[in-house]
Amino acid sequence: MKKNHKDQPLYMISIAAKLAGLHPQTLRIYERKNLVRPGRTAKSTRLYSESDIEQLLYIQELTQEEGVNLAGVKIIM
């Protein structure tokens, strides 16, 4: 199966956090809760794709604008 260019892991956690308007620690929390799954390099560095950034923005919208907690976000997603 061919990957979409939006699924290509490109951004390190600091850049992904800036693009999504979040703190890097928040991205780690989302990963621990299986809300987002960044790619990993051979040395286990997290790399986020455009699709991951879109997902982070959606999570942010649900939590901050709609008042959904993370458990609710997981159900929605």
Side-chain angles (χ1 to χ4, degrees), residues 16-72:
K18 282 184 183 184
L19 291 171
L22 299 168
H23 191 279
Q25 187 62 35
T26 304
L27 274 62
R28 291 183 192 98
I29 291 167
Y30 290 173
E31 182 181 2
R32 278 196 302 274
K33 295 191 177 285
N34 292 317
L35 296 174
V36 67
R37 291 202 171 147
R40 296 281 184 153
T41 66
K43 293 189 177 187
S44 207
T45 301
R46 290 171 180 87
L47 289 178
Y48 293 82
S49 67
E50 289 289 334
S51 294
D52 293 329
I53 303 299
E54 289 174 7
Q55 193 166 356
L56 291 168
L57 292 169
Y58 182 57
I59 293 168
Q60 185 178 19
E61 178 183 337
L62 289 172
T63 58
Q64 294 184 0
E65 295 177 23
E66 303 298 330
V68 179
N69 64 24
L70 294 180

Side-chain angles (χ1 to χ4, degrees), residues 3-11 39 47-52:
K3 276 193 163 186
N4 184 331
H5 77 280
K6 290 175 72 173
D7 295 328
Q8 181 70 30
L10 300 171
Y11 306 109
L47 289 178
Y48 293 82
S49 67
E50 289 289 334
S51 294
D52 293 329

